[in-house]
């Protein structure tokens, strides 16, 4: 299907010129020859602009604000990529604010976006209470990613964190492990709390002891995964398996174990969460919970575009508001079977 970019290339004009022509705003901006080239390109490519693309005009800033937990995390970088992929034909720019996992920084970022009168806001992994967000009375429409909306009216697109975490721990139990630890994310994060609860629920439901000493808080980075494993392996009775709340910490855990001569997974099995691009490239390759990151970001952006133009969200978008995670088993948790 042809896009506005294809039309612009064929007509040898900018996307802005094509947009002006489509929205009857070309008066005084282009010659008759330019208008004819654009129309010829539209006819040749059989380009049909979507209703939402044609309706997104006359905005004050043409900017969408994105508040994200930690731009140092590849998971969030992939989300930004998905957002950019979805808005590429709509002449919108994004303004990214890194909250550094701080509620205060989230508030300051939202206040700044409100002052700039941006057209819409995507909040990724927000840490502040949702009802507090509601009290901020933001003028622009807001969509939450990776955060439950609670009893508020904010649209929310998220992964089923409980299911993903539960499957990760259940996999380790099925491998024969009983002493299973968990390196959590920053506990200010609702995502970290959901994955911790999934770990506890699975252990209890499978009849295994949930030890406080086996629950270590991390910061979603490699260094805290390394430190978490050091703390766990120095226990009098260390775990034989560890579920890390994201892949970055799992990579740090693997690094610690290899440096101190542990075999993975024979001595200690490791499972991460996210399936970032490097998860399959580390040694041993990382068992993890895959999230449809690009799809999640693109869906949330489509919903925001609908909200910005006050277009009703159709049934398909509503049904996809919570996506499913998938366990990807690799060498860090599964002992290879001897071939006959």
């Amino acid at each position: 299907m042809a896009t506005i970019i294809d039309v612009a290339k064929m007509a040898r004009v900018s996307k802005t010129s094509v947009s002006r022509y489509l929205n009857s705003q070309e008066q005084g901006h282009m010659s008759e020859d330019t208008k004819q080239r654009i129309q010829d390109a539209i006819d040749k490519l059989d380009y049909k602009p979507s209703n939402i693309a044609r309706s997104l005009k006359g905005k004050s800033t043409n900017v969408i604000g994105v508040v994200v937990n930690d731009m140092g995390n590849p998971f969030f970088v992939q989300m930004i990529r998905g957002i950019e992929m979805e808005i590429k034909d709509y002449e919108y720019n994004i303004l990214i604010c890194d909250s550094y996992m701080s509620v205060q920084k989230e508030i300051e970022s939202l206040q700044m976006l409100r002052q700039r009168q941006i057209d819409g806001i995507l909040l990724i992994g927000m840490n502040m209470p949702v009802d507090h967000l509601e009290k901020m009375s933001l003028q622009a429409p807001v969509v939450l990613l990776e955060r439950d909306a609670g009893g508020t009216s904010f649209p929310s697109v998220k992964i089923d964190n409980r299911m993903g975490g539960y499957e990760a721990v259940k996999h380790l139990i099925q491998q024969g492990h009983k002493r299973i630890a968990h390196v959590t994310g920053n506990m200010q994060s609702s995502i970290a709390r959901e994955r911790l609860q999934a770990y506890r629920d699975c252990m209890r439901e499978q009849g295994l002891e949930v030890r406080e000493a086996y629950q270590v808080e991390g910061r979603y980075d490699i260094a805290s995964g390394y430190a978490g494993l050091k703390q766990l392996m120095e226990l009098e009775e260390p775990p034989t398996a560890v579920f890390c709340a994201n892949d970055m910490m799992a990579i740090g855990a693997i690094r610690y174990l290899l440096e101190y001569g542990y075999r993975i997974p024979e001595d200690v099995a490791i499972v991460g969460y996210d399936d970032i691009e490097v998860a399959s490239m580390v040694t041993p390759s990382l068992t993890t919970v895959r999230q449809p990151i690009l799809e999640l970001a693109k869906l949330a952006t489509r919903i925001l575009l609908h909200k910005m133009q006050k277009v009703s969200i159709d049934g398909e978008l509503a049904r996809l508001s919570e996506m499913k995670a998938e366990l990807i088993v690799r060498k860090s948790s599964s002992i290879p079977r001897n071939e006959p």
Side-chain angles (χ1 to χ4, degrees), residues 34-219:
T34 300
K35 288 190 278 187
Q36 189 59 53
R37 291 205 313 272
I38 294 172
Q39 186 58 55
D40 289 344
I42 290 170
D43 294 340
K44 288 178 182 178
L45 294 169
D46 193 26
Y47 172 67
K48 293 180 175 60
S50 67
N51 290 334
I52 194 166
R54 297 197 66 172
S55 64
L56 290 172
K57 60 183 180 180
K59 297 292 184 180
S60 57
T61 62
N62 282 5
V63 174
I64 292 173
V66 180
V67 182
V68 62
N69 263 341
D70 178 13
M71 279 303 296
N73 188 329
F75 173 80
F76 295 117
V77 174
Q78 287 180 258
M79 275 205 169
I80 298 299
R81 185 184 305 165
I83 294 167
E84 291 181 327
M85 289 169 64
E86 194 61 29
I87 66 170
K88 63 182 173 62
D89 292 337
Y90 299 134
E91 298 185 10
Y92 271 79
N93 296 310
I94 61 174
L95 175 58
I96 302 171
C97 305
D98 192 337
S99 72
Y100 304 98
M101 301 294 295
S102 163
V103 171
Q104 183 58 38
K105 185 65 176 176
E106 285 177 347
I107 294 170
E108 292 172 1
S109 297
L110 289 168
Q111 289 172 338
M112 180 272 292
L113 293 173
R114 180 172 58 192
Q115 290 170 357
R116 286 175 174 249
Q117 297 183 324
I118 48 82
D119 300 323
I121 300 173
L122 292 166
L123 281 172
I124 305 178
M126 180 185 71
N127 296 312
M128 77 170 75
V130 185
D131 58 352
H132 188 94
L133 175 66
E134 201 166 39
K135 293 173 184 176
M136 293 189 71
S137 300
L138 299 168
Q139 300 302 310
V142 176
V143 175
L144 309 180
L145 288 86
E146 280 291 74
R147 177 65 194 267
D148 190 88
T152 70
S153 60
F154 297 112
S156 170
V157 181
K158 58 176 293 194
I159 304 294
D160 187 344
N161 278 294
R162 184 190 183 282
M163 185 276 283
Y166 194 99
E167 289 299 313
V169 179
K170 185 177 178 182
H171 164 70
L172 292 171
I173 294 170
Q174 290 172 337
Q175 296 296 306
H177 297 283
K178 293 182 171 56
R179 302 200 311 271
I180 302 171
H182 180 44
V183 180
T184 77
N186 185 318
M187 292 309 293
Q188 289 189 66
S189 164
S190 63
I191 298 170
R193 295 193 295 272
E194 287 177 2
R195 293 175 190 173
L196 172 60
Q197 191 59 51
Y199 159 77
R200 291 172 174 171
D201 289 346
C202 187
M203 293 288 284
R204 290 180 180 128
E205 290 171 20
Q206 298 296 320
L208 298 178
E209 181 184 1
V210 179
R211 309 187 193 191
E212 285 300 319
Y214 280 6
Q215 300 166 60
V216 176
E217 184 173 355
R219 299 184 307 277

Side-chain angles (χ1 to χ4, degrees), residues 212-250:
E212 285 300 319
Y214 280 6
Q215 300 166 60
V216 176
E217 184 173 355
R219 299 184 307 277
Y220 287 124
D221 57 13
I222 290 174
S224 62
Y226 185 100
L229 259 290
K230 182 177 187 298
Q231 181 177 334
L232 290 168
M233 300 312 294
E234 289 176 351
L235 293 172
E236 186 175 339
E237 188 174 34
T240 62
V242 181
F243 165 45
C244 296
N246 82 338
D247 289 345
M248 298 290 282
M249 293 190 297

Side-chain angles (χ1 to χ4, degrees), residues 239-340:
T240 62
V242 181
F243 165 45
C244 296
N246 82 338
D247 289 345
M248 298 290 282
M249 293 190 297
I251 290 169
I254 288 174
R255 178 182 170 187
Y256 174 85
L257 292 170
L258 293 178
E259 280 188 11
Y260 284 87
Y262 292 97
R263 297 172 302 161
I264 307 170
E266 291 85 354
D267 298 327
V268 184
I270 299 292
V271 174
Y273 203 112
D274 288 341
D275 197 27
I276 60 176
E277 290 181 338
V278 299
S280 62
M281 293 183 267
V282 296
T283 302
S285 56
L286 179 62
T287 293
T288 185
V289 179
R290 175 179 293 164
Q291 304 198 74
I293 303 171
L294 290 179
E295 292 82 356
L296 180 85
K298 291 167 74 174
L299 172 60
T301 307
R302 287 202 300 275
I303 292 174
L304 181 64
L305 292 173
H306 279 72
K307 295 286 288 183
M308 285 159 54
Q309 191 54 32
K310 299 182 172 61
V311 175
S312 61
I313 299 171
D314 61 34
E316 181 183 2
L317 291 184
R319 284 194 299 275
L320 290 173
S321 60
E322 182 166 83
M323 298 181 175
K324 300 299 181 184
E326 176 188 5
L327 181 70
I328 305 298
V329 178
R330 298 193 181 106
K331 294 180 180 179
S332 70
S333 68
S334 181
I335 299 174
R337 296 179 181 177
N338 293 325
E339 298 295 334

